[in-house]
Amino acid sequence: SGGESIDFPYVMRMTADAVRNQGFELPILRPSREAQKWAEQYRGAHVITLREADYWPERNSQTHEWCAFADVLRTRGERVVFVRDTARVGLDGEGPHGVCDRASTSIHHRLALYCVSKMNYFVSNGPAVLAGYSSDIPYITFMKRVDGYQCNDDAWHWKFMGIGVGEQWPWANPKKQSLVWADDTLENILNAANLA
């Protein structure tokens, strides 16, 4: 209000503090109208976003675990859409079927897809922030613990993210948004999705 501008840094500490201590409400991120129209074809799908980067590969999604989870969902009649890492678009490899490359290369289409999904699944990565900076996009994000990665250090997480290990974002909707402080194994994914 009053024309003030609030910066949203890469790390979320300022935002967490503003919501928790000052009653700040997050602005609603909206994709373009064209992207919203495009995304309607995916309404109600389970969207699995993979991290498949060459840097810090130990942080990557365990693709075989996510493919096994997708198989479970499909046997229950659910639609599954994978969004591969932007660096992997168009490349052959172990990537799963049902891939939506457009969401990997356009932030508007990615956000629109997340908005119409039944549930979004992530490991901690950049794309997860699109859902994380909302109180209405459904998500389950696995906060993997990786040895030697400073951003998993408990003290770092509190200092720069504004929440402790095991906590949720202060604006999160507990009915449909969850940070899961565990590795993305099939067992943990099924438990988080209440399908165990």
Side-chain angles (χ1 to χ4, degrees), residues 66 119-124 128 131-132 134-143 163 166-169 171-182 188-189 191-194:
W66 288 106
M119 181 55 72
N120 295 285
Y121 305 90
F122 304 93
V123 295
S124 178
S134 79
S135 59
D136 59 346
I137 296 174
Y139 66 80
I140 295 172
T141 300
F142 285 84
M143 307 295 285
I163 59 173
E167 294 182 348
Q168 303 295 313
W169 299 119
W171 56 83
N173 179 338
K175 293 181 180 178
K176 60 181 180 178
Q177 297 180 320
S178 178
L179 300 178
V180 178
W181 298 84
N188 289 340
I189 298 167
N191 284 331
N194 294 315

Side-chain angles (χ1 to χ4, degrees), residues 35-196:
Q36 290 177 46
K37 183 177 178 182
W38 165 87
E40 281 302 315
Q41 65 188 303
Y42 298 106
R43 182 167 291 281
H46 290 260
V47 177
I48 300 171
T49 298
L50 299 176
R51 185 187 193 278
E52 304 171 281
D54 293 331
Y55 57 96
W56 289 319
E58 60 274 16
R59 293 180 51 213
N60 283 349
S61 304
Q62 296 188 66
T63 304
H64 57 285
E65 302 289 309
W66 288 106
C67 287
F69 175 59
D71 289 342
V72 171
L73 289 173
R74 288 182 182 123
T75 63
R76 294 170 178 251
E78 300 286 352
R79 183 174 183 196
V80 180
V81 176
F82 282 88
V83 178
R84 294 196 72 183
D85 198 293
T86 303
R88 303 296 300 174
V89 170
L91 297 179
D92 292 331
E94 64 175 305
H97 299 287
V99 173
C100 181
D101 284 345
R102 190 147 191 205
S104 295
T105 59
S106 164
I107 195 166
H108 280 276
H109 291 84
R110 182 187 294 270
L111 179 58
L113 177 63
Y114 293 165
C115 287
V116 300
S117 70
K118 186 171 187 177
M119 181 55 72
N120 295 285
Y121 305 90
F122 304 93
V123 295
S124 178
N125 65 359
V129 175
L130 278 178
Y133 264 134
S134 79
S135 59
D136 59 346
I137 296 174
Y139 66 80
I140 295 172
T141 300
F142 285 84
M143 307 295 285
K144 297 169 64 135
R145 304 291 287 179
V146 177
D147 291 339
Y149 178 61
Q150 81 168 20
C151 298
N152 283 148
D153 177 76
D154 294 355
W156 186 97
H157 214 276
W158 175 254
K159 180 177 180 181
F160 292 104
M161 303 308 274
I163 59 173
V165 170
E167 294 182 348
Q168 303 295 313
W169 299 119
W171 56 83
N173 179 338
K175 293 181 180 178
K176 60 181 180 178
Q177 297 180 320
S178 178
L179 300 178
V180 178
W181 298 84
D183 288 338
D184 55 334
T185 64
L186 178 59
E187 179 181 7
N188 289 340
I189 298 167
L190 290 171
N191 284 331
N194 294 315
L195 296 175

